[in-house]
Amino acid sequence: MKHLCLGFAAAALMACSGQDNHAGHNHDEGIVISAARVLPPFPGRDISAGYFEITNHSHKDDRLIAASSPISETVEIHTHNEVDGVMKMRRVDGVDLPAGQSVMFKPGGYHLMFFKTKLAEGQTDVSVTLTYETAPPVTIIVPLEGHDGTSAPKNGHGSGYKGGHDKGSHGSGN
Ligand SMILES: [Cu+2]
């Protein structure tokens, strides 16, 4: 219930500032992918995983229904469930994207699975196309990440911790 209230408050704030700052600019931002990364296969394996945050900025509920990529003929949307204390992966036929909300694709949760991954030598990023039930498909370029955890987020679009929890100041003016 608390989440619901916060959600409404945030939506109301956005609506207000939108009118003040973007008069005459009334297309909505649609669905935005951020903090995307693809983990390449472990040595001897050919399965990669894709993670990102997906935010539906539109006013309509939508649904991610498919993903594709030149590096793999088979890209599936997966989730993790705990079964008898063991995390198991399961394919899902889509992920709901409620209007105004974000869904995290992360280790232990939703993720993309790229089977029989084919990477060129020295390849550093991957093209991924996401297909939605309503919104038009979007192709994004996703950086490949190392397995050693050394690759820090480079695009400055990660979770913007600025130290402190000052409420009310949404610094992002785009
Ligand atoms: Cu999986």
Side-chain angles (χ1 to χ4, degrees):
M1 269 326 197
K2 271 191 174 133
H3 283 109
L4 207 57
C5 295
L6 281 169
F8 278 124
L13 273 172
M14 284 172 69
C16 290
S17 65
Q19 272 177 0
D20 289 341
N21 301 332
H22 300 288
H25 173 262
N26 59 359
H27 76 267
D28 65 42
E29 287 181 85
I31 296 171
V32 175
I33 310 291
S34 57
R37 64 195 198 278
V38 167
L39 276 179
F42 284 100
R45 306 284 308 273
D46 62 2
I47 295 174
S48 319
Y51 306 110
F52 46 83
E53 180 173 8
I54 181 165
T55 303
N56 183 357
H57 287 288
S58 82
H59 303 293
K60 280 183 280 188
D61 293 346
D62 210 330
R63 187 170 162 82
L64 176 69
I65 52 172
S68 62
S69 172
I71 66 165
S72 166
E73 280 174 30
T74 311
V75 184
E76 295 181 354
I77 304 167
H78 281 196
T79 188
H80 272 97
N81 294 105
E82 199 176 312
V83 179
D84 296 329
V86 180
M87 291 296 269
K88 298 222 160 135
M89 284 199 305
R90 186 168 64 83
R91 187 184 179 181
V92 293
D93 61 4
V95 176
D96 285 331
L97 305 172
Q101 293 192 32
S102 296
V103 176
M104 288 297 298
F105 279 57
K106 61 182 183 203
Y110 287 122
H111 56 280
L112 298 182
M113 207 102 231
F114 305 80
F115 292 91
K116 298 194 172 156
T117 305
K118 290 194 189 71
L119 293 173
E121 209 171 304
Q123 185 167 345
T124 56
D125 50 37
V126 169
S127 165
V128 178
T129 300
L130 300 174
T131 306
Y132 306 104
E133 201 166 73
T134 304
V138 171
T139 298
I140 53 174
I141 304 299
V142 180
L144 276 170
E145 196 172 75
H147 278 295
D148 50 5
T150 50
S151 61
K154 284 179 210 152
N155 58 8
H157 250 32
S159 45
Y161 288 135
K162 285 187 286 189
H165 291 81
D166 51 328
K167 50 187 162 183
S169 74
H170 289 101
S172 64
N174 47 10

